[in-house]
Amino acid sequence: MRTLTPAGPAPIAGPGDPTPRRLLLCGVVAGPLFVVAFLVEGALRAHYDPLRHPVSSLALGPGGWVQAVNFVVAGLLTLAFAAGLRRALHKVWGPALVGVWGAGLIGAGVFTTDPVSGYPQGTPDLLPEHGSTHAALHDYFSLAGFAALIAACLVFAVGFARDRKLGWAAYSAASGAGFTVAMALATIAFSQNPALVAHGGLFQRVAVTIGWAWLTLLALRLLRRRPAGPRTPAGRPRRPS
């Protein structure tokens, strides 16, 4: 039986095994659920400016538990999606990197960030150092997740290119690049750069949307593939009679 590549056209599972498809469906749900949740929270939260403040700041103050749960749920769904990718593609690195992104989301939800850019109201724009171990761990988990997502985009881009799926190869590479640039701008803005600070939240939301859109479309692409038909003892699909 031949080895599958990340963009390979081979079916993902036999007709009697719906589990991989259910796991891949988690990848369809995770991104939209996460994005809609933080957009609604940001619109409703007093003194919170979505253009200026990071998504993680929604976990601070009254009602902060909602964003913490949002992180954890999205992370768990992403871990399930990573398992589905592993079973669908029979590859290690791409699915593993998606799994690290999921674990980073869970860590970001468990460990709360520091205040930044004046939110919650009355807090300084930037603390001279981490205010707590929780905040430091939040940043470490987030950084690991961001790096893993960028690497996953590149790994899948290479896989698609090898399979001559050039559109998906270009889209995957562009997603990794776009995420990197937007997140770099957000990081500079949250460091209180005068020219960018007012738009730090916007830059971060652009980055997160790029990353989630790529993951969601990847899941949809795999779900559209037909299940494998009956196989001969040699392992090749049986031709219809």
Side-chain angles (χ1 to χ4, degrees):
M1 188 179 297
R2 63 192 178 91
T3 302
L4 305 182
T5 61
I12 64 174
D17 182 11
T19 302
R21 300 185 70 82
R22 290 174 180 171
L23 294 173
L24 292 174
L25 185 60
C26 292
V28 177
V29 174
L33 180 63
F34 183 82
V35 172
V36 169
F38 77 63
L39 287 177
V40 172
E41 285 184 87
L44 298 178
R45 188 72 63 86
H47 310 298
Y48 182 87
D49 182 356
L51 298 181
R52 180 184 181 91
H53 300 129
V55 172
S56 297
S57 291
L58 288 167
L60 300 171
W65 65 269
V66 177
Q67 179 55 34
V69 170
N70 191 27
F71 274 124
V72 173
V73 170
L76 291 173
L77 289 171
T78 302
L79 287 178
F81 174 48
L85 283 175
R86 178 69 180 87
R87 294 183 62 173
L89 303 174
H90 305 289
K91 289 290 183 178
V92 175
W93 285 110
L97 289 166
V98 173
V100 174
W101 163 246
L105 289 167
I106 294 172
V110 172
F111 302 106
T112 307
T113 188
D114 275 335
V116 70
S117 296
Y119 184 86
Q121 189 178 36
T123 58
D125 288 336
L126 186 67
L127 296 178
E129 57 187 14
H130 282 112
S132 66
T133 302
H134 266 244
L137 289 172
H138 174 92
D139 287 350
Y140 295 149
F141 273 103
S142 298
L143 180 60
F146 296 153
L149 182 58
I150 294 167
C153 289
L154 298 180
V155 167
F156 276 90
V158 171
F160 283 122
R162 287 175 176 169
D163 271 4
R164 299 188 179 183
K165 306 293 184 182
L166 299 185
W168 263 92
Y171 173 54
S172 298
S175 295
F179 183 93
T180 302
V181 171
M183 192 58 70
L185 290 172
T187 300
I188 295 170
F190 297 143
S191 298
Q192 305 306 297
N193 180 283
L196 300 178
V197 65
H199 303 292
L202 175 62
F203 293 135
Q204 189 189 59
R205 281 160 174 76
V206 169
V208 169
T209 301
I210 289 172
W212 278 123
W214 177 75
L215 288 169
T216 303
L217 292 174
L218 178 63
L220 286 170
R221 182 184 188 277
L222 291 171
L223 280 169
R224 286 198 297 265
R225 289 157 57 179
R226 293 183 179 180
R231 291 182 174 269
T232 66
R236 290 186 290 271
R238 182 175 296 148
R239 293 182 180 179
S241 55

PDB file of all heavy atoms in Angstrom, residues 186-208:
ATOM      1  N   ALA A 186       1.264  42.636  15.458  1.00  0.00           N
ATOM      2  CA  ALA A 186       0.515  42.667  16.714  1.00  0.00           C
ATOM      3  C   ALA A 186       1.459  42.699  17.909  1.00  0.00           C
ATOM      4  O   ALA A 186       1.235  43.438  18.879  1.00  0.00           O
ATOM      5  CB  ALA A 186      -0.409  41.450  16.798  1.00  0.00           C
ATOM      6  N   THR A 187       2.516  41.899  17.855  1.00  0.00           N
ATOM      7  CA  THR A 187       3.471  41.855  18.961  1.00  0.00           C
ATOM      8  C   THR A 187       4.143  43.207  19.157  1.00  0.00           C
ATOM      9  O   THR A 187       4.309  43.683  20.294  1.00  0.00           O
ATOM     10  CB  THR A 187       4.536  40.782  18.683  1.00  0.00           C
ATOM     11  OG1 THR A 187       3.893  39.508  18.551  1.00  0.00           O
ATOM     12  CG2 THR A 187       5.553  40.715  19.826  1.00  0.00           C
ATOM     13  N   ILE A 188       4.522  43.849  18.053  1.00  0.00           N
ATOM     14  CA  ILE A 188       5.129  45.188  18.137  1.00  0.00           C
ATOM     15  C   ILE A 188       4.127  46.182  18.727  1.00  0.00           C
ATOM     16  O   ILE A 188       4.469  47.027  19.560  1.00  0.00           O
ATOM     17  CB  ILE A 188       5.604  45.641  16.745  1.00  0.00           C
ATOM     18  CG1 ILE A 188       6.732  44.734  16.255  1.00  0.00           C
ATOM     19  CG2 ILE A 188       6.079  47.096  16.786  1.00  0.00           C
ATOM     20  CD1 ILE A 188       7.104  44.955  14.799  1.00  0.00           C
ATOM     21  N   ALA A 189       2.877  46.065  18.303  1.00  0.00           N
ATOM     22  CA  ALA A 189       1.852  46.982  18.804  1.00  0.00           C
ATOM     23  C   ALA A 189       1.630  46.801  20.302  1.00  0.00           C
ATOM     24  O   ALA A 189       1.526  47.788  21.047  1.00  0.00           O
ATOM     25  CB  ALA A 189       0.540  46.744  18.049  1.00  0.00           C
ATOM     26  N   PHE A 190       1.575  45.553  20.763  1.00  0.00           N
ATOM     27  CA  PHE A 190       1.353  45.298  22.196  1.00  0.00           C
ATOM     28  C   PHE A 190       2.562  45.710  23.037  1.00  0.00           C
ATOM     29  O   PHE A 190       2.451  45.842  24.257  1.00  0.00           O
ATOM     30  CB  PHE A 190       1.011  43.835  22.431  1.00  0.00           C
ATOM     31  CG  PHE A 190      -0.274  43.398  21.770  1.00  0.00           C
ATOM     32  CD1 PHE A 190      -0.391  42.129  21.207  1.00  0.00           C
ATOM     33  CD2 PHE A 190      -1.361  44.252  21.709  1.00  0.00           C
ATOM     34  CE1 PHE A 190      -1.567  41.721  20.603  1.00  0.00           C
ATOM     35  CE2 PHE A 190      -2.551  43.867  21.099  1.00  0.00           C
ATOM     36  CZ  PHE A 190      -2.655  42.593  20.538  1.00  0.00           C
ATOM     37  N   SER A 191       3.705  45.901  22.380  1.00  0.00           N
ATOM     38  CA  SER A 191       4.879  46.445  23.078  1.00  0.00           C
ATOM     39  C   SER A 191       4.800  47.960  23.190  1.00  0.00           C
ATOM     40  O   SER A 191       5.760  48.605  23.615  1.00  0.00           O
ATOM     41  CB  SER A 191       6.155  46.039  22.336  1.00  0.00           C
ATOM     42  OG  SER A 191       6.297  44.636  22.318  1.00  0.00           O
ATOM     43  N   GLN A 192       3.667  48.534  22.777  1.00  0.00           N
ATOM     44  CA  GLN A 192       3.348  49.956  22.887  1.00  0.00           C
ATOM     45  C   GLN A 192       4.100  50.820  21.877  1.00  0.00           C
ATOM     46  O   GLN A 192       4.415  51.974  22.148  1.00  0.00           O
ATOM     47  CB  GLN A 192       3.577  50.462  24.320  1.00  0.00           C
ATOM     48  CG  GLN A 192       2.830  49.678  25.382  1.00  0.00           C
ATOM     49  CD  GLN A 192       1.330  49.572  25.115  1.00  0.00           C
ATOM     50  OE1 GLN A 192       0.637  50.579  25.087  1.00  0.00           O
ATOM     51  NE2 GLN A 192       0.841  48.344  24.919  1.00  0.00           N
ATOM     52  N   ASN A 193       4.364  50.270  20.704  1.00  0.00           N
ATOM     53  CA  ASN A 193       4.902  51.092  19.624  1.00  0.00           C
ATOM     54  C   ASN A 193       3.878  52.173  19.276  1.00  0.00           C
ATOM     55  O   ASN A 193       2.729  51.845  18.947  1.00  0.00           O
ATOM     56  CB  ASN A 193       5.190  50.215  18.404  1.00  0.00           C
ATOM     57  CG  ASN A 193       5.750  51.003  17.236  1.00  0.00           C
ATOM     58  OD1 ASN A 193       5.011  51.683  16.537  1.00  0.00           O
ATOM     59  ND2 ASN A 193       7.056  50.904  17.034  1.00  0.00           N
ATOM     60  N   PRO A 194       4.254  53.435  19.331  1.00  0.00           N
ATOM     61  CA  PRO A 194       3.267  54.512  19.156  1.00  0.00           C
ATOM     62  C   PRO A 194       2.524  54.456  17.822  1.00  0.00           C
ATOM     63  O   PRO A 194       1.351  54.821  17.747  1.00  0.00           O
ATOM     64  CB  PRO A 194       4.115  55.791  19.256  1.00  0.00           C
ATOM     65  CG  PRO A 194       5.326  55.382  20.024  1.00  0.00           C
ATOM     66  CD  PRO A 194       5.596  53.948  19.633  1.00  0.00           C
ATOM     67  N   ALA A 195       3.195  54.006  16.776  1.00  0.00           N
ATOM     68  CA  ALA A 195       2.569  53.994  15.461  1.00  0.00           C
ATOM     69  C   ALA A 195       1.582  52.838  15.280  1.00  0.00           C
ATOM     70  O   ALA A 195       0.702  52.899  14.415  1.00  0.00           O
ATOM     71  CB  ALA A 195       3.650  53.916  14.380  1.00  0.00           C
ATOM     72  N   LEU A 196       1.706  51.783  16.091  1.00  0.00           N
ATOM     73  CA  LEU A 196       0.909  50.580  15.884  1.00  0.00           C
ATOM     74  C   LEU A 196      -0.008  50.212  17.043  1.00  0.00           C
ATOM     75  O   LEU A 196      -0.924  49.407  16.862  1.00  0.00           O
ATOM     76  CB  LEU A 196       1.838  49.386  15.606  1.00  0.00           C
ATOM     77  CG  LEU A 196       2.755  49.487  14.389  1.00  0.00           C
ATOM     78  CD1 LEU A 196       3.626  48.243  14.287  1.00  0.00           C
ATOM     79  CD2 LEU A 196       1.951  49.670  13.109  1.00  0.00           C
ATOM     80  N   VAL A 197       0.222  50.787  18.227  1.00  0.00           N
ATOM     81  CA  VAL A 197      -0.461  50.314  19.428  1.00  0.00           C
ATOM     82  C   VAL A 197      -1.979  50.364  19.317  1.00  0.00           C
ATOM     83  O   VAL A 197      -2.683  49.503  19.849  1.00  0.00           O
ATOM     84  CB  VAL A 197       0.027  51.100  20.674  1.00  0.00           C
ATOM     85  CG1 VAL A 197      -0.357  52.575  20.574  1.00  0.00           C
ATOM     86  CG2 VAL A 197      -0.525  50.475  21.949  1.00  0.00           C
ATOM     87  N   ALA A 198      -2.501  51.337  18.605  1.00  0.00           N
ATOM     88  CA  ALA A 198      -3.949  51.478  18.506  1.00  0.00           C
ATOM     89  C   ALA A 198      -4.590  50.380  17.660  1.00  0.00           C
ATOM     90  O   ALA A 198      -5.819  50.224  17.672  1.00  0.00           O
ATOM     91  CB  ALA A 198      -4.307  52.847  17.926  1.00  0.00           C
ATOM     92  N   HIS A 199      -3.763  49.607  16.939  1.00  0.00           N
ATOM     93  CA  HIS A 199      -4.301  48.586  16.034  1.00  0.00           C
ATOM     94  C   HIS A 199      -3.763  47.190  16.341  1.00  0.00           C
ATOM     95  O   HIS A 199      -3.871  46.291  15.515  1.00  0.00           O
ATOM     96  CB  HIS A 199      -3.968  48.956  14.587  1.00  0.00           C
ATOM     97  CG  HIS A 199      -4.476  50.310  14.181  1.00  0.00           C
ATOM     98  ND1 HIS A 199      -5.821  50.592  14.048  1.00  0.00           N
ATOM     99  CD2 HIS A 199      -3.812  51.467  13.909  1.00  0.00           C
ATOM    100  CE1 HIS A 199      -5.972  51.865  13.707  1.00  0.00           C
ATOM    101  NE2 HIS A 199      -4.774  52.407  13.610  1.00  0.00           N
ATOM    102  N   GLY A 200      -3.216  47.007  17.547  1.00  0.00           N
ATOM    103  CA  GLY A 200      -2.672  45.700  17.906  1.00  0.00           C
ATOM    104  C   GLY A 200      -3.710  44.595  17.863  1.00  0.00           C
ATOM    105  O   GLY A 200      -3.458  43.485  17.380  1.00  0.00           O
ATOM    106  N   GLY A 201      -4.907  44.882  18.380  1.00  0.00           N
ATOM    107  CA  GLY A 201      -5.962  43.883  18.367  1.00  0.00           C
ATOM    108  C   GLY A 201      -6.389  43.521  16.954  1.00  0.00           C
ATOM    109  O   GLY A 201      -6.695  42.355  16.663  1.00  0.00           O
ATOM    110  N   LEU A 202      -6.413  44.510  16.071  1.00  0.00           N
ATOM    111  CA  LEU A 202      -6.774  44.258  14.681  1.00  0.00           C
ATOM    112  C   LEU A 202      -5.760  43.339  14.012  1.00  0.00           C
ATOM    113  O   LEU A 202      -6.131  42.369  13.336  1.00  0.00           O
ATOM    114  CB  LEU A 202      -6.880  45.576  13.923  1.00  0.00           C
ATOM    115  CG  LEU A 202      -7.131  45.460  12.419  1.00  0.00           C
ATOM    116  CD1 LEU A 202      -8.462  44.760  12.144  1.00  0.00           C
ATOM    117  CD2 LEU A 202      -7.093  46.838  11.763  1.00  0.00           C
ATOM    118  N   PHE A 203      -4.468  43.644  14.193  1.00  0.00           N
ATOM    119  CA  PHE A 203      -3.424  42.805  13.590  1.00  0.00           C
ATOM    120  C   PHE A 203      -3.526  41.362  14.093  1.00  0.00           C
ATOM    121  O   PHE A 203      -3.402  40.409  13.318  1.00  0.00           O
ATOM    122  CB  PHE A 203      -2.036  43.359  13.912  1.00  0.00           C
ATOM    123  CG  PHE A 203      -1.736  44.684  13.275  1.00  0.00           C
ATOM    124  CD1 PHE A 203      -1.137  45.707  14.006  1.00  0.00           C
ATOM    125  CD2 PHE A 203      -2.049  44.925  11.948  1.00  0.00           C
ATOM    126  CE1 PHE A 203      -0.857  46.929  13.428  1.00  0.00           C
ATOM    127  CE2 PHE A 203      -1.772  46.155  11.360  1.00  0.00           C
ATOM    128  CZ  PHE A 203      -1.180  47.163  12.100  1.00  0.00           C
ATOM    129  N   GLN A 204      -3.741  41.212  15.401  1.00  0.00           N
ATOM    130  CA  GLN A 204      -3.836  39.860  15.948  1.00  0.00           C
ATOM    131  C   GLN A 204      -5.057  39.134  15.396  1.00  0.00           C
ATOM    132  O   GLN A 204      -4.989  37.938  15.075  1.00  0.00           O
ATOM    133  CB  GLN A 204      -3.903  39.894  17.475  1.00  0.00           C
ATOM    134  CG  GLN A 204      -3.788  38.510  18.094  1.00  0.00           C
ATOM    135  CD  GLN A 204      -4.066  38.511  19.580  1.00  0.00           C
ATOM    136  OE1 GLN A 204      -5.141  38.905  20.020  1.00  0.00           O
ATOM    137  NE2 GLN A 204      -3.088  38.073  20.354  1.00  0.00           N
ATOM    138  N   ARG A 205      -6.170  39.820  15.268  1.00  0.00           N
ATOM    139  CA  ARG A 205      -7.371  39.190  14.735  1.00  0.00           C
ATOM    140  C   ARG A 205      -7.189  38.782  13.276  1.00  0.00           C
ATOM    141  O   ARG A 205      -7.712  37.742  12.853  1.00  0.00           O
ATOM    142  CB  ARG A 205      -8.564  40.127  14.904  1.00  0.00           C
ATOM    143  CG  ARG A 205      -9.121  40.100  16.317  1.00  0.00           C
ATOM    144  CD  ARG A 205      -9.964  41.333  16.639  1.00  0.00           C
ATOM    145  NE  ARG A 205     -10.585  41.186  17.959  1.00  0.00           N
ATOM    146  CZ  ARG A 205      -9.956  41.333  19.102  1.00  0.00           C
ATOM    147  NH1 ARG A 205      -8.663  41.641  19.120  1.00  0.00           N
ATOM    148  NH2 ARG A 205     -10.584  41.177  20.251  1.00  0.00           N
ATOM    149  N   VAL A 206      -6.466  39.590  12.515  1.00  0.00           N
ATOM    150  CA  VAL A 206      -6.161  39.204  11.126  1.00  0.00           C
ATOM    151  C   VAL A 206      -5.336  37.921  11.115  1.00  0.00           C
ATOM    152  O   VAL A 206      -5.617  36.978  10.355  1.00  0.00           O
ATOM    153  CB  VAL A 206      -5.413  40.337  10.401  1.00  0.00           C
ATOM    154  CG1 VAL A 206      -4.861  39.845   9.058  1.00  0.00           C
ATOM    155  CG2 VAL A 206      -6.340  41.531  10.183  1.00  0.00           C
ATOM    156  N   ALA A 207      -4.310  37.848  11.979  1.00  0.00           N
ATOM    157  CA  ALA A 207      -3.458  36.654  12.034  1.00  0.00           C
ATOM    158  C   ALA A 207      -4.264  35.424  12.422  1.00  0.00           C
ATOM    159  O   ALA A 207      -4.174  34.370  11.763  1.00  0.00           O
ATOM    160  CB  ALA A 207      -2.314  36.867  13.034  1.00  0.00           C
ATOM    161  N   VAL A 208      -5.049  35.542  13.487  1.00  0.00           N
ATOM    162  CA  VAL A 208      -5.821  34.399  13.972  1.00  0.00           C
ATOM    163  C   VAL A 208      -6.832  33.940  12.924  1.00  0.00           C
ATOM    164  O   VAL A 208      -7.034  32.742  12.710  1.00  0.00           O
ATOM    165  CB  VAL A 208      -6.519  34.773  15.296  1.00  0.00           C
ATOM    166  CG1 VAL A 208      -7.545  33.722  15.685  1.00  0.00           C
ATOM    167  CG2 VAL A 208      -5.490  34.942  16.408  1.00  0.00           C
TER     168      VAL A 208
END
